[in-house]
Amino acid sequence: VRRCIDGYVFIWEQRSYTISASIGGVMIDRPDILVKDLLTQADTACYMAKELGRNRVHFYSERDDDTVRRHGEMEWANRLRWAVDEQRLVLMYQEIWPLPLGTGGAPGIEVLLRFRDEAGQLVVPGVFMPAAERYGLMPVVDRWVVETTLAHFNHLHPSGAGVSMVAINLSGASIDDELLAGLILGWLRQYKVEPSKVCFEITETVAVRNLSHVVRFMEPLRAAGCRIALDDFGAGMSSFTYLKNFPLDVIKIDGSFVRDMLTDPVSHLMVRAVTDIGHRLGLEVVAEWVADLETVEALMLLGVNHAQGFSLHHPELAVFQRD
């Protein structure tokens, strides 16, 4: 079938065209398999045929890791499409503490996303986010996270309105969403949230991918009083030069450097360099993945402004979702 299609040529408006086909197949070799499972496997195989270069036949195999991964992502994509309607998305938070500890300053929080499965267990984003990104679902997910956070702003943390700052992550796909900045500004007004208490985080890899586009997206939010943080700094193609022209308020040092700073001199040097450059640019510096009090003390000596990690606070359900 593929060869016949591949060899077909037709003419339209004095131009000739050829056709190719990506075909997915599955062997019906077990008596107990359901028809819906066969169709899902054939669909998975068809996606694999496209991803392997198109114009080919690919048969489903459970031993094929790529096929199994694709199958899992497709399953998650289908579940995520209904996650908002079925109220399966859940917000948690992790506290971000000012340094030095014990100075009396109120903590900020970072909002974290979880998926509640059919058994009631909370699934971490690393399991379902790849599917959301591959199948174009991140703008829908991000819109839900932002609006839900702002709608329950005073009921996220036990301190209520006393929380100093709430950080919300935005994906690269949402940065490309031309309507999102306007929606956020509308939600801030609708839910009467003080913009200066809201911080939007984007990763370094998203920022460097299209710097001018990110700047245009962030400018109206920053003009309204929101803060902007560059997350995972150091994880990608780090360049201190673009920081001069980027509208930032906060740098979050990638946790892999913080985790190893007591045992690896290069990691320690990286943390110190980011802190020094950040302060010279008038930015606050946050260290992620802080795992013990020895690391907290080392960060304090370097002048890091805030710390976040399991040694300080384990993520908890947002207050409004606890019942």
Side-chain angles (χ1 to χ4, degrees), residues 76 79-80 83 86-90 114-124 127-128:
W76 269 111
R79 296 168 80 181
L80 287 170
E86 295 179 354
Q87 299 182 337
R88 293 200 176 277
L89 297 181
V90 176
R114 298 291 187 267
F115 179 94
R116 192 187 302 278
D117 66 17
E118 290 76 5
Q121 299 299 311
L122 296 181
V123 181
V124 297
V127 175
F128 59 84

Side-chain angles (χ1 to χ4, degrees), residues 218-249:
M218 293 300 182
E219 279 178 341
L221 298 177
R222 204 158 181 258
C226 298
R227 308 176 76 197
I228 307 300
L230 189 63
D231 197 10
D232 298 338
F233 188 79
M237 300 173 62
S238 300
S239 171
F240 290 114
T241 55
Y242 71 77
L243 293 178
K244 293 189 297 183
N245 302 312
F246 198 70
L248 282 178
D249 302 283

Side-chain angles (χ1 to χ4, degrees), residues 222 227-228 243-244 246-251 274-285 305:
R222 204 158 181 258
R227 308 176 76 197
I228 307 300
L243 293 178
K244 293 189 297 183
F246 198 70
L248 282 178
D249 302 283
V250 180
I251 295 180
V274 174
T275 303
D276 290 346
I277 294 292
H279 286 166
R280 286 187 177 274
L281 293 173
L283 307 176
E284 293 188 4
V285 180
N305 303 102

Side-chain angles (χ1 to χ4, degrees), residues 132-279:
E133 291 169 351
R134 181 179 293 275
Y135 290 93
L137 299 173
M138 282 309 302
V140 174
V141 172
D142 280 353
R143 286 187 182 194
W144 181 88
V145 170
V146 175
E147 184 176 13
T148 304
T149 298
L150 297 179
H152 299 88
F153 198 81
N154 292 336
H155 303 283
L156 298 169
H157 187 270
S159 62
V163 66
S164 62
M165 183 270 296
V166 175
I168 307 171
N169 292 279
L170 293 178
S171 66
S174 289
I175 298 298
D176 295 332
D177 183 352
E178 296 180 356
L179 300 177
L180 183 57
L183 287 172
I184 292 173
L185 295 175
W187 290 329
L188 288 168
R189 293 190 295 268
Q190 177 182 349
Y191 299 115
K192 298 180 174 57
V193 175
E194 174 56 48
S196 63
K197 285 192 170 187
V198 182
C199 179
F200 291 102
E201 295 187 5
I202 59 169
T203 63
E204 177 197 357
T205 49
V206 168
V208 300
R209 186 185 67 189
N210 192 339
L211 187 60
S212 61
H213 190 95
V214 174
V215 170
R216 285 196 302 272
F217 178 89
M218 293 300 182
E219 279 178 341
L221 298 177
R222 204 158 181 258
C226 298
R227 308 176 76 197
I228 307 300
L230 189 63
D231 197 10
D232 298 338
F233 188 79
M237 300 173 62
S238 300
S239 171
F240 290 114
T241 55
Y242 71 77
L243 293 178
K244 293 189 297 183
N245 302 312
F246 198 70
L248 282 178
D249 302 283
V250 180
I251 295 180
K252 299 186 76 172
I253 306 172
D254 183 66
S256 62
F257 296 109
V258 178
R259 177 193 60 199
D260 299 333
M261 65 178 293
L262 298 182
T263 56
D264 177 23
V266 174
S267 294
H268 190 279
L269 180 63
M270 185 68 180
V271 174
R272 184 173 68 184
V274 174
T275 303
D276 290 346
I277 294 292
H279 286 166

